[in-house]
Amino acid sequence: MTFQTIPIQPNANQSFSTLLDANVLTQFNITTTDEGTFIDVTYGGASICMARLCQDRTNLNTAAYLGMPQPLFFADLLGTTDPVYTGFGTRYLLCYGTPD
């Protein structure tokens, strides 16, 4: 498995798709509210997480038995704060896999 960063835009609310692993279509929906940043992830048609609160370095993929084999998490490059949309793609990265 290769560790990879999933490109995200500094937008409060966004939906996008990308290919992970062996070309598995993965859909993301990120929503920002007053309570924090939340994410929905569908991997190859299986709902991996719905309305999961995004926290720094916390695995969003807690149901690997549904088919998504690697960890998925946000990482703060400048500290340990939870992700804020204004820093998406620069300070806060959406990461997939296990770092070397």
Side-chain angles (χ1 to χ4, degrees):
M1 171 67 207
T2 302
F3 175 76
Q4 68 185 93
T5 301
I6 299 167
I8 54 177
Q9 301 300 315
N11 300 324
N13 303 301
Q14 56 189 296
S15 295
F16 60 93
S17 299
T18 192
L19 296 174
L20 297 177
D21 298 314
N23 294 323
V24 178
L25 182 65
T26 308
Q27 298 171 317
F28 298 88
N29 184 41
I30 300 174
T31 306
T32 301
T33 70
D34 291 340
E35 302 300 320
T37 301
F38 297 86
I39 193 167
D40 304 330
V41 180
T42 303
Y43 178 85
S47 179
I48 300 301
C49 64
M50 298 298 290
R52 178 79 45 90
L53 179 63
C54 301
Q55 297 175 308
D56 182 52
R57 295 179 183 87
T58 299
N59 189 6
L60 299 165
N61 179 21
T62 58
Y65 62 88
L66 293 173
M68 184 181 234
Q70 299 294 323
L72 176 71
F73 57 95
F74 278 93
D76 180 357
L77 298 180
L78 300 177
T80 58
T81 61
D82 294 337
V84 178
Y85 77 90
T86 54
F88 283 174
T90 55
R91 178 176 179 166
Y92 304 103
L93 302 181
L94 181 56
C95 305
Y96 180 66
T98 304
D100 295 333

PDB file of all heavy atoms in Angstrom, residues 50-70:
ATOM      1  N   MET A  50     -20.736   7.656   7.824  1.00  0.00           N
ATOM      2  CA  MET A  50     -21.746   8.679   7.545  1.00  0.00           C
ATOM      3  C   MET A  50     -21.738   9.686   8.686  1.00  0.00           C
ATOM      4  O   MET A  50     -21.818   9.299   9.857  1.00  0.00           O
ATOM      5  CB  MET A  50     -23.140   8.058   7.428  1.00  0.00           C
ATOM      6  CG  MET A  50     -23.282   7.061   6.283  1.00  0.00           C
ATOM      7  SD  MET A  50     -23.028   7.776   4.661  1.00  0.00           S
ATOM      8  CE  MET A  50     -24.470   8.785   4.518  1.00  0.00           C
ATOM      9  N   ALA A  51     -21.614  10.952   8.329  1.00  0.00           N
ATOM     10  CA  ALA A  51     -21.628  12.043   9.310  1.00  0.00           C
ATOM     11  C   ALA A  51     -20.624  11.800  10.439  1.00  0.00           C
ATOM     12  O   ALA A  51     -20.913  12.056  11.599  1.00  0.00           O
ATOM     13  CB  ALA A  51     -23.027  12.263   9.853  1.00  0.00           C
ATOM     14  N   ARG A  52     -19.445  11.307  10.092  1.00  0.00           N
ATOM     15  CA  ARG A  52     -18.392  11.057  11.080  1.00  0.00           C
ATOM     16  C   ARG A  52     -17.668  12.362  11.371  1.00  0.00           C
ATOM     17  O   ARG A  52     -17.241  13.069  10.460  1.00  0.00           O
ATOM     18  CB  ARG A  52     -17.417  10.014  10.537  1.00  0.00           C
ATOM     19  CG  ARG A  52     -16.242   9.661  11.401  1.00  0.00           C
ATOM     20  CD  ARG A  52     -16.538   8.708  12.543  1.00  0.00           C
ATOM     21  NE  ARG A  52     -17.343   7.577  12.195  1.00  0.00           N
ATOM     22  CZ  ARG A  52     -16.891   6.408  11.769  1.00  0.00           C
ATOM     23  NH1 ARG A  52     -15.604   6.221  11.592  1.00  0.00           N
ATOM     24  NH2 ARG A  52     -17.727   5.430  11.513  1.00  0.00           N
ATOM     25  N   LEU A  53     -17.530  12.702  12.633  1.00  0.00           N
ATOM     26  CA  LEU A  53     -16.795  13.892  13.040  1.00  0.00           C
ATOM     27  C   LEU A  53     -15.318  13.713  12.700  1.00  0.00           C
ATOM     28  O   LEU A  53     -14.712  12.690  13.032  1.00  0.00           O
ATOM     29  CB  LEU A  53     -16.962  14.133  14.539  1.00  0.00           C
ATOM     30  CG  LEU A  53     -16.223  15.341  15.118  1.00  0.00           C
ATOM     31  CD1 LEU A  53     -16.748  16.639  14.502  1.00  0.00           C
ATOM     32  CD2 LEU A  53     -16.370  15.364  16.632  1.00  0.00           C
ATOM     33  N   CYS A  54     -14.738  14.700  12.036  1.00  0.00           N
ATOM     34  CA  CYS A  54     -13.334  14.646  11.640  1.00  0.00           C
ATOM     35  C   CYS A  54     -12.474  15.248  12.740  1.00  0.00           C
ATOM     36  O   CYS A  54     -12.670  16.401  13.123  1.00  0.00           O
ATOM     37  CB  CYS A  54     -13.127  15.422  10.338  1.00  0.00           C
ATOM     38  SG  CYS A  54     -14.103  14.799   8.959  1.00  0.00           S
ATOM     39  N   GLN A  55     -11.540  14.446  13.225  1.00  0.00           N
ATOM     40  CA  GLN A  55     -10.602  14.894  14.244  1.00  0.00           C
ATOM     41  C   GLN A  55      -9.190  14.578  13.772  1.00  0.00           C
ATOM     42  O   GLN A  55      -8.977  13.655  12.983  1.00  0.00           O
ATOM     43  CB  GLN A  55     -10.894  14.194  15.566  1.00  0.00           C
ATOM     44  CG  GLN A  55     -12.274  14.542  16.104  1.00  0.00           C
ATOM     45  CD  GLN A  55     -12.618  13.764  17.352  1.00  0.00           C
ATOM     46  OE1 GLN A  55     -12.514  12.546  17.371  1.00  0.00           O
ATOM     47  NE2 GLN A  55     -13.027  14.478  18.384  1.00  0.00           N
ATOM     48  N   ASP A  56      -8.238  15.335  14.282  1.00  0.00           N
ATOM     49  CA  ASP A  56      -6.849  15.170  13.869  1.00  0.00           C
ATOM     50  C   ASP A  56      -6.354  13.759  14.143  1.00  0.00           C
ATOM     51  O   ASP A  56      -6.482  13.243  15.255  1.00  0.00           O
ATOM     52  CB  ASP A  56      -5.970  16.182  14.606  1.00  0.00           C
ATOM     53  CG  ASP A  56      -4.523  16.098  14.175  1.00  0.00           C
ATOM     54  OD1 ASP A  56      -4.261  16.146  12.965  1.00  0.00           O
ATOM     55  OD2 ASP A  56      -3.655  15.977  15.059  1.00  0.00           O
ATOM     56  N   ARG A  57      -5.821  13.118  13.100  1.00  0.00           N
ATOM     57  CA  ARG A  57      -5.185  11.798  13.173  1.00  0.00           C
ATOM     58  C   ARG A  57      -6.075  10.709  13.778  1.00  0.00           C
ATOM     59  O   ARG A  57      -5.598   9.779  14.416  1.00  0.00           O
ATOM     60  CB  ARG A  57      -3.867  11.885  13.926  1.00  0.00           C
ATOM     61  CG  ARG A  57      -2.830  12.726  13.207  1.00  0.00           C
ATOM     62  CD  ARG A  57      -1.529  12.822  13.978  1.00  0.00           C
ATOM     63  NE  ARG A  57      -0.584  13.678  13.312  1.00  0.00           N
ATOM     64  CZ  ARG A  57      -0.515  14.997  13.465  1.00  0.00           C
ATOM     65  NH1 ARG A  57      -1.351  15.607  14.266  1.00  0.00           N
ATOM     66  NH2 ARG A  57       0.381  15.698  12.809  1.00  0.00           N
ATOM     67  N   THR A  58      -7.365  10.818  13.563  1.00  0.00           N
ATOM     68  CA  THR A  58      -8.320   9.804  14.028  1.00  0.00           C
ATOM     69  C   THR A  58      -8.836   9.044  12.816  1.00  0.00           C
ATOM     70  O   THR A  58      -9.341   9.652  11.866  1.00  0.00           O
ATOM     71  CB  THR A  58      -9.488  10.461  14.789  1.00  0.00           C
ATOM     72  OG1 THR A  58      -8.954  11.153  15.924  1.00  0.00           O
ATOM     73  CG2 THR A  58     -10.482   9.423  15.256  1.00  0.00           C
ATOM     74  N   ASN A  59      -8.711   7.722  12.849  1.00  0.00           N
ATOM     75  CA  ASN A  59      -9.120   6.895  11.716  1.00  0.00           C
ATOM     76  C   ASN A  59     -10.620   7.011  11.472  1.00  0.00           C
ATOM     77  O   ASN A  59     -11.427   6.732  12.355  1.00  0.00           O
ATOM     78  CB  ASN A  59      -8.727   5.433  11.970  1.00  0.00           C
ATOM     79  CG  ASN A  59      -8.923   4.564  10.758  1.00  0.00           C
ATOM     80  OD1 ASN A  59      -9.246   5.026   9.661  1.00  0.00           O
ATOM     81  ND2 ASN A  59      -8.731   3.271  10.942  1.00  0.00           N
ATOM     82  N   LEU A  60     -10.977   7.423  10.269  1.00  0.00           N
ATOM     83  CA  LEU A  60     -12.385   7.537   9.873  1.00  0.00           C
ATOM     84  C   LEU A  60     -12.923   6.203   9.377  1.00  0.00           C
ATOM     85  O   LEU A  60     -14.129   6.013   9.277  1.00  0.00           O
ATOM     86  CB  LEU A  60     -12.532   8.600   8.780  1.00  0.00           C
ATOM     87  CG  LEU A  60     -12.093  10.010   9.190  1.00  0.00           C
ATOM     88  CD1 LEU A  60     -11.920  10.892   7.971  1.00  0.00           C
ATOM     89  CD2 LEU A  60     -13.077  10.597  10.167  1.00  0.00           C
ATOM     90  N   ASN A  61     -12.035   5.286   9.064  1.00  0.00           N
ATOM     91  CA  ASN A  61     -12.402   3.973   8.536  1.00  0.00           C
ATOM     92  C   ASN A  61     -12.407   2.949   9.676  1.00  0.00           C
ATOM     93  O   ASN A  61     -11.484   2.167   9.830  1.00  0.00           O
ATOM     94  CB  ASN A  61     -11.435   3.551   7.433  1.00  0.00           C
ATOM     95  CG  ASN A  61     -11.751   2.186   6.876  1.00  0.00           C
ATOM     96  OD1 ASN A  61     -12.867   1.694   6.992  1.00  0.00           O
ATOM     97  ND2 ASN A  61     -10.766   1.563   6.264  1.00  0.00           N
ATOM     98  N   THR A  62     -13.459   2.960  10.458  1.00  0.00           N
ATOM     99  CA  THR A  62     -13.531   2.035  11.593  1.00  0.00           C
ATOM    100  C   THR A  62     -14.275   0.751  11.242  1.00  0.00           C
ATOM    101  O   THR A  62     -14.511  -0.082  12.108  1.00  0.00           O
ATOM    102  CB  THR A  62     -14.207   2.709  12.800  1.00  0.00           C
ATOM    103  OG1 THR A  62     -15.514   3.153  12.411  1.00  0.00           O
ATOM    104  CG2 THR A  62     -13.384   3.887  13.291  1.00  0.00           C
ATOM    105  N   ALA A  63     -14.634   0.596   9.984  1.00  0.00           N
ATOM    106  CA  ALA A  63     -15.347  -0.607   9.539  1.00  0.00           C
ATOM    107  C   ALA A  63     -14.629  -1.213   8.338  1.00  0.00           C
ATOM    108  O   ALA A  63     -15.198  -1.355   7.265  1.00  0.00           O
ATOM    109  CB  ALA A  63     -16.795  -0.269   9.204  1.00  0.00           C
ATOM    110  N   ALA A  64     -13.365  -1.580   8.522  1.00  0.00           N
ATOM    111  CA  ALA A  64     -12.562  -2.130   7.421  1.00  0.00           C
ATOM    112  C   ALA A  64     -13.191  -3.376   6.813  1.00  0.00           C
ATOM    113  O   ALA A  64     -12.968  -3.688   5.645  1.00  0.00           O
ATOM    114  CB  ALA A  64     -11.147  -2.431   7.898  1.00  0.00           C
ATOM    115  N   TYR A  65     -14.011  -4.056   7.583  1.00  0.00           N
ATOM    116  CA  TYR A  65     -14.676  -5.255   7.065  1.00  0.00           C
ATOM    117  C   TYR A  65     -15.626  -4.927   5.910  1.00  0.00           C
ATOM    118  O   TYR A  65     -16.053  -5.825   5.185  1.00  0.00           O
ATOM    119  CB  TYR A  65     -15.436  -5.979   8.191  1.00  0.00           C
ATOM    120  CG  TYR A  65     -16.540  -5.170   8.806  1.00  0.00           C
ATOM    121  CD1 TYR A  65     -17.831  -5.194   8.270  1.00  0.00           C
ATOM    122  CD2 TYR A  65     -16.312  -4.374   9.915  1.00  0.00           C
ATOM    123  CE1 TYR A  65     -18.848  -4.440   8.819  1.00  0.00           C
ATOM    124  CE2 TYR A  65     -17.335  -3.628  10.477  1.00  0.00           C
ATOM    125  CZ  TYR A  65     -18.594  -3.665   9.929  1.00  0.00           C
ATOM    126  OH  TYR A  65     -19.594  -2.907  10.481  1.00  0.00           O
ATOM    127  N   LEU A  66     -15.951  -3.649   5.714  1.00  0.00           N
ATOM    128  CA  LEU A  66     -16.812  -3.257   4.596  1.00  0.00           C
ATOM    129  C   LEU A  66     -16.033  -3.145   3.280  1.00  0.00           C
ATOM    130  O   LEU A  66     -16.624  -2.905   2.241  1.00  0.00           O
ATOM    131  CB  LEU A  66     -17.524  -1.941   4.902  1.00  0.00           C
ATOM    132  CG  LEU A  66     -18.549  -2.006   6.022  1.00  0.00           C
ATOM    133  CD1 LEU A  66     -19.078  -0.612   6.350  1.00  0.00           C
ATOM    134  CD2 LEU A  66     -19.698  -2.943   5.651  1.00  0.00           C
ATOM    135  N   GLY A  67     -14.716  -3.313   3.340  1.00  0.00           N
ATOM    136  CA  GLY A  67     -13.943  -3.371   2.107  1.00  0.00           C
ATOM    137  C   GLY A  67     -12.827  -2.366   1.957  1.00  0.00           C
ATOM    138  O   GLY A  67     -11.908  -2.579   1.170  1.00  0.00           O
ATOM    139  N   MET A  68     -12.880  -1.240   2.645  1.00  0.00           N
ATOM    140  CA  MET A  68     -11.804  -0.249   2.540  1.00  0.00           C
ATOM    141  C   MET A  68     -10.662  -0.711   3.452  1.00  0.00           C
ATOM    142  O   MET A  68     -10.788  -0.698   4.660  1.00  0.00           O
ATOM    143  CB  MET A  68     -12.309   1.134   2.965  1.00  0.00           C
ATOM    144  CG  MET A  68     -11.306   2.237   2.813  1.00  0.00           C
ATOM    145  SD  MET A  68     -11.991   3.821   3.376  1.00  0.00           S
ATOM    146  CE  MET A  68     -11.693   4.818   1.936  1.00  0.00           C
ATOM    147  N   PRO A  69      -9.520  -1.136   2.864  1.00  0.00           N
ATOM    148  CA  PRO A  69      -8.511  -1.831   3.662  1.00  0.00           C
ATOM    149  C   PRO A  69      -7.573  -0.967   4.509  1.00  0.00           C
ATOM    150  O   PRO A  69      -6.936  -1.480   5.412  1.00  0.00           O
ATOM    151  CB  PRO A  69      -7.706  -2.587   2.596  1.00  0.00           C
ATOM    152  CG  PRO A  69      -7.848  -1.769   1.371  1.00  0.00           C
ATOM    153  CD  PRO A  69      -9.222  -1.166   1.436  1.00  0.00           C
ATOM    154  N   GLN A  70      -7.471   0.314   4.227  1.00  0.00           N
ATOM    155  CA  GLN A  70      -6.476   1.156   4.899  1.00  0.00           C
ATOM    156  C   GLN A  70      -7.122   2.261   5.739  1.00  0.00           C
ATOM    157  O   GLN A  70      -8.277   2.619   5.523  1.00  0.00           O
ATOM    158  CB  GLN A  70      -5.548   1.790   3.857  1.00  0.00           C
ATOM    159  CG  GLN A  70      -4.766   0.802   3.044  1.00  0.00           C
ATOM    160  CD  GLN A  70      -3.766   0.034   3.875  1.00  0.00           C
ATOM    161  OE1 GLN A  70      -3.144   0.566   4.787  1.00  0.00           O
ATOM    162  NE2 GLN A  70      -3.611  -1.249   3.572  1.00  0.00           N
TER     163      GLN A  70
END
